[in-house]
Amino acid sequence: FQWINPNRYTLNGFKLGTIGNAPIGDCLGPPTRTVDTSISKNFKLTERVRVQFRIDAFNLFNTPQYGNPGSTNIGFSAPNTAGSPEFKDANGNSTTNLANAVSLQNTTASAVAGTVNTLSDRSREFQYSVRFTF
């Protein structure tokens, strides 16, 4: 369930302190598709008393509802270093001093970034009710 392609995004050359260029809505999760319906029947018991029998159905066709890609699945790592990306200074040289860092290099997306591995708990449900009005 690779919902978002992690190879589409990179932090290589990203300027620290700036906003990325991904468009709004680019990383939306799976859609929600449910059909909710209800049926009711009114009965007249007496002149003043009425009874309503009602059945409500939620997710009538039992369509699976997948969860969104979790924030723990999104990440970047460096392929050739000890697990941290390489920081560059203004001249393009590697630096370990984060105060001088202006961009990132040597990052790759995590292999599990953008995966959906959960279902929401919205399975088919029925609800019955009786209502007395007097």
Side-chain angles (χ1 to χ4, degrees), residues 1-129:
F1 291 132
Q2 190 81 33
W3 194 260
I4 299 170
N5 181 3
N7 296 321
R8 183 173 174 187
Y9 306 97
T10 180
L11 289 177
N12 292 333
F14 178 73
K15 302 292 182 198
L16 298 176
T18 62
I19 298 175
N21 59 0
I24 294 174
D26 197 38
C27 294
L28 296 178
T32 302
R33 294 185 179 112
T34 61
V35 174
D36 299 339
T37 187
S38 65
I39 299 172
S40 64
K41 174 69 177 168
N42 295 315
F43 300 98
K44 188 174 183 182
L45 291 181
T46 66
E47 187 76 24
R48 293 181 44 204
V49 179
R50 293 192 171 102
V51 176
Q52 182 184 63
F53 180 71
R54 182 181 181 107
I55 300 173
D56 298 311
F58 305 99
N59 195 5
L60 181 64
F61 301 117
N62 206 21
T63 307
Q65 306 300 315
Y66 297 106
N68 284 322
S71 60
T72 58
N73 294 339
I74 299 171
F76 292 88
S77 62
N80 300 324
T81 61
S84 62
E86 180 182 1
F87 293 95
K88 300 281 188 172
D89 63 11
N91 297 325
N93 301 321
S94 296
T95 181
T96 56
N97 184 357
L98 294 181
N100 295 333
V102 295
S103 66
L104 294 171
Q105 255 342 68
N106 291 340
T107 62
T108 59
S110 170
V112 295
T115 57
V116 173
N117 53 11
T118 60
L119 286 172
S120 68
D121 59 350
R122 190 61 192 241
S123 56
R124 183 184 312 163
E125 297 177 14
F126 290 100
Q127 175 179 301
Y128 306 96
S129 63

